[in-house]
Amino acid sequence: MSAMESPISPLTDREFGLFQRFIEKSAGIALSAAKKPLVAGRLTKRLHYYRLASFGDYYELITNGSAPDETQLAIDLLTTNETYFFREMQHFDLLRKLAAAPRTSRRPWRAWSAACATGEEAYSIAMVLADALPGEEWEVVASDISARVLATARHGHYPMVRAQHIPPLYLQRYCLKGFGPEDGTMLVSRMLRERVDFLRINLNAPALPALDRFDVIFLRNVLIYFSPEVRRQVVSRVLDQLRPGGYLFIGHAESLHDCPGPIQLVQPSVYRKV
């Protein structure tokens, strides 16, 4: 702690309970007791910024309506945003087969990365579609609740270490290696960046914006953070955005066994809308 920073009282169980209810109401995310150190760690700098002595004071700041930008920043900080390129590669193998399959419609092939975090999943989808649909129209919509991570996603600029799971051909074709001051980084090509539309969407909102229907939706590694009731509501809203015959991808640690809907299991973590 620097000389300019005032001491902060440790996060109490009562204060942690306030933040649990705050993030569940705001984003539908259920924080377990094990997340108490994470909450303290992510918010401490904001308390120092405002020279607040307790987490209770910060909670009052973000809930009294006086600082809406700080409220959004708190949501950003408390939202888990872990991702990497081509996470769960078998999903992308299937995506390529689906996109390359013969079809009669000439409409654009559309995909939605519904919890895109810093954009690696969305750009992974875009690489596959660019490869599988040469000369054809396709669209990728990517969304997240966090304005902070969406700003990173739009830039498409990442440490090179994050590229370790990108197939070599895709890395060569769709990414630019940084030199000089940008050494050790990579930039997703402009062609792909211009084909991905990043939007701020709260999946826990009563209604989703009009996005038109998608051929595939990636809703991966986010349902695990929702309570059962919120999970059912989110899945129902998302399925409304999927074309009949379209595919929904979820994380391998997740399941839709308690989410009624017009879907059938195709393979572990992949469902088809019927």
Side-chain angles (χ1 to χ4, degrees):
M1 183 174 64
S2 71
M4 297 296 294
E5 292 176 348
S6 303
I8 295 174
S9 300
L11 177 65
T12 67
D13 289 342
R14 184 191 69 82
E15 290 168 334
F16 177 62
L18 294 175
F19 287 108
Q20 283 179 305
R21 289 187 286 277
F22 165 76
I23 198 63
E24 184 163 17
K25 180 179 179 181
S26 301
I29 293 174
L31 292 176
S32 68
K35 298 295 185 181
K36 183 178 177 182
L38 179 145
V39 170
R42 293 191 176 184
L43 298 183
T44 292
K45 286 185 179 180
R46 303 310 298 162
L47 272 70
H48 284 311
Y49 179 83
Y50 286 102
R51 298 184 179 181
L52 300 175
S54 74
F55 287 90
D57 291 340
Y58 183 72
Y59 174 80
E60 175 63 22
L61 173 70
I62 64 174
T63 57
N64 64 15
S66 65
D69 290 344
E70 188 65 28
T71 302
Q72 179 57 53
L73 180 56
I75 293 171
D76 290 355
L77 292 172
L78 294 177
T79 303
T80 301
N81 301 296
E82 179 186 358
T83 187
Y84 53 84
F85 286 97
F86 289 93
R87 183 177 186 176
E88 300 173 1
M89 179 61 83
Q90 56 268 50
H91 285 168
F92 296 97
D93 293 337
L94 177 57
L95 173 65
R96 194 184 193 292
K97 292 178 182 177
L98 295 174
R103 58 195 180 102
T104 56
S105 172
R106 305 312 303 166
R107 57 171 173 74
W109 214 90
R110 306 187 73 236
W112 179 19
S113 172
C116 71
T118 45
E120 289 91 335
E121 178 181 88
Y123 289 127
S124 299
I125 294 171
M127 291 180 197
V128 172
L129 296 186
D131 182 39
L133 298 169
E136 297 188 40
E137 290 297 315
W138 53 268
E139 302 171 2
V140 176
V141 173
S143 67
D144 201 275
I145 191 175
S146 169
R148 176 176 57 91
V149 298
L150 287 172
T152 298
R154 290 188 182 98
H155 282 102
H157 189 205
Y158 304 94
M160 183 58 76
V161 68
R162 304 286 285 276
Q164 59 183 322
H165 297 291
I166 300 178
L169 181 62
Y170 287 178
L171 186 62
Q172 179 181 8
R173 184 181 296 171
Y174 302 120
C175 304
L176 303 173
K177 182 179 179 181
F179 293 94
E182 305 299 336
D183 189 36
T185 69
M186 53 156 281
L187 179 68
V188 176
S189 70
R190 180 185 297 273
M191 182 274 288
L192 286 192
R193 284 183 280 127
E194 290 178 344
R195 298 290 289 272
V196 182
D197 190 14
F198 288 99
L199 306 174
R200 183 179 175 272
I201 295 177
N202 183 353
L203 297 174
N204 192 43
L208 298 177
L211 299 173
D212 206 350
R213 296 289 184 90
F214 294 94
D215 296 282
V216 297
I217 297 176
F218 280 60
L219 184 68
R220 306 190 307 165
N221 307 302
V222 63
L223 296 176
I224 196 171
Y225 298 108
F226 295 145
S227 66
E229 179 56 30
V230 171
R231 183 167 61 248
R232 286 189 287 270
Q233 293 172 1
V234 167
V235 169
S236 176
R237 295 185 198 107
V238 168
L239 284 176
D240 286 342
Q241 308 288 328
L242 188 63
R243 300 183 193 278
Y247 288 76
L248 175 66
F249 295 76
I250 64 173
H252 282 294
E254 299 169 323
S255 171
L256 300 185
H257 71 274
D258 61 343
C259 298
I263 53 175
Q264 60 182 194
L265 182 65
V266 175
Q267 63 187 54
S269 70
V270 180
Y271 295 80
R272 183 177 181 272
K273 184 174 180 180
V274 295

